[in-house]
Amino acid sequence: MDICKIHENASKCSMNTMECFMVLSTQAQKISIATLCCLFGTLCIFENCVVLYLIFSSPGTRRKPSYLFISSLALADILASIIFVCSFVSFHVFNETNFSKETFLLQLGGVNTSFSASLSSLLLTAVDRYISIRRPSEYKLLMTRKRAWIALGVLWVTCATIASLPLLGWNCCTLNSTCSELFPFVDDNYLSSWICFIMILLGCIIYAYTHVLWRAHQHVAYMEKHQAQLGKQNTRMRMDVMLAKTLVMVLTVLVLCWSPVLVLMIYSIFARLSNQLRKVFAFCSTLCLLNSMVNPIIYALRSKELYSSLRKVFSRFRRQWKTSEDSPEAESTHKSSVIET
C-alpha cells in the first residue's frame, strides 16, 4: 500500500507500480481465487472441447451455420479460459512481475479478444435465429456456409484488432494520459471505448432475441391452434422455438456473469475505487469462467442434436469398454494374474 501512495501522483507506467494492482492481501484469498480459476477453467476447457468434437464429428451439425457459430463460441471460451487462468493466477496469486509492459498488454489483449469473440459469436447466432424465424422460406439462401465462414472471419479479425490497440500504442504510457485503476498500462479512454463496444454488442443481441422470443411465442400459439394440420412444419417450428429458448438461456447466464464486472469497470471510470471494491472486482472476474463453463451444459441439455450425439459417444464408449472386458486376452490376463497370486 505504501508503494501505491508513493506512486499515486507519479506516472503509473513503471513496473514497480504493478504491485498496486495486486489486491489479494491474504493467503486465503489467493487460495480461493486459484481454486475457482483452476476448477472453472478445467471444466470449461473440457466441456467446450466436447462440444467442438460433437459438432465436427457429425456431418449433420458441422454443415449448419448455426452450429458453426456455436463452435466459434466454444473456441473463444477455450482460449479465454487458458489465457485468463494462466495470466490471472500468475499475477494475483504468485505476484509475478518479471514481464514487460508489452507482455502484459499482449495477455490482456488475448483475454479481450476471446471474450469479444465469444460475445460476437452469440450475436451471429442471434442474427441466425432472427433470420430463421423472420424469413424461414429464404433462410437457406441467406445463411449459407460460405457467408457464415466470412462472418466468422470478419468477427475474429475485428475483435483481435480492437483488443490489440493498447499494445499498438493506445495506452497511458505512450499517450501520457490517465491510467485505469483496474488494469495496468490501460488508458481510461480505451477502457471506456471497449465498454461501449461491448454494450453495443449486448444491445444488438437483446434486440434480436426479443424479436426471436416474440416470434417463438407466436409459433407456440399457432401450434396449439393447428396441431393436427402442421405436420413437418410443426417439427420445424418446434426446433426454432427450442433453439431460441436455449440461446436466451445462454444470454441470461452471460448477462448475470458479466454485469458485475462491467458495472465495476464503468464505476472505475467516474470514481476512485477502494481496495475492497478492487478485491470484489478480482473475484467477480472469475464469473467469466463460470459463464464459459455453463454454456456447454446448456447446449447438451437443450440441443437435441448435440444431446443425441453425446449419447451415441457414451454408448460407443460403453460397448468398447465391455468388449475389452469380455475379450479372450482380458480373460487370459485375468487367469494368469490369479495363478501368479
Side-chain angles (χ1 to χ4, degrees), residues 30 37 50 85 92 105 114 144 189 203 227 270 296 309:
K30 294 181 180 181
C37 287
V50 171
V85 170
H92 284 288
L105 292 178
S114 303
T144 61
N189 292 327
Q227 191 76 19
F270 299 101
S309 299

Side-chain angles (χ1 to χ4, degrees), residues 99-107 167 185:
F99 49 82
S100 63
K101 176 192 72 176
E102 290 74 17
T103 302
F104 179 84
L105 292 178
L106 181 62
Q107 293 175 351
L167 184 63
F185 315 122

